[in-house]
Amino acid sequence: MYIHLGGDTVINSKSVIGVFDMDTSTVNKATRDYLSKAEKEKRVTYVNYELPKSFVVTDKAVYVGPLNTGTLLKRTRQEYNL
């Protein structure tokens, strides 16, 4: 199954490790450090350049996008008919 993250970005749902809210999770220094390290390693993909609301961590990359976590959850539930 696949999840549309916005723009032209679609990922395999099996590769998703976590979906995080940008506002609440980046308060923690460890999360900011993780994102900085991923960006230096060129593992961060920006879905588009609108205001980021969430980021999705997969086994190979981090996707930063404009959709909120609730929208991504709904799309995941639709994939699995939950």
Side-chain angles (χ1 to χ4, degrees):
M1 298 289 174
Y2 295 92
I3 302 171
H4 180 246
L5 299 180
D8 295 333
T9 307
V10 178
I11 61 170
N12 189 331
S13 61
K14 291 181 181 181
S15 68
V16 174
I17 296 171
V19 178
F20 303 91
D21 181 81
M22 189 65 81
D23 290 334
T24 58
S25 60
T26 55
V27 172
N28 188 324
K29 183 178 181 330
T31 305
R32 289 192 313 271
D33 291 345
Y34 172 78
L35 290 172
S36 293
K37 182 179 177 190
E39 194 157 26
K40 288 177 187 172
E41 294 172 352
K42 300 192 185 303
R43 293 187 305 118
V44 175
T45 300
Y46 290 90
V47 172
N48 62 25
Y49 291 97
E50 294 179 24
L51 181 65
K53 294 182 182 174
S54 65
F55 62 97
V56 178
V57 177
T58 67
D59 51 3
K60 296 183 180 176
V62 177
Y63 296 90
V64 178
L67 300 178
N68 65 39
T69 55
T71 301
L72 293 172
L73 178 62
K74 286 178 190 175
R75 290 181 180 190
T76 304
R77 286 183 175 165
Q78 289 173 351
E79 292 292 330
Y80 292 104
N81 296 320
L82 297 176

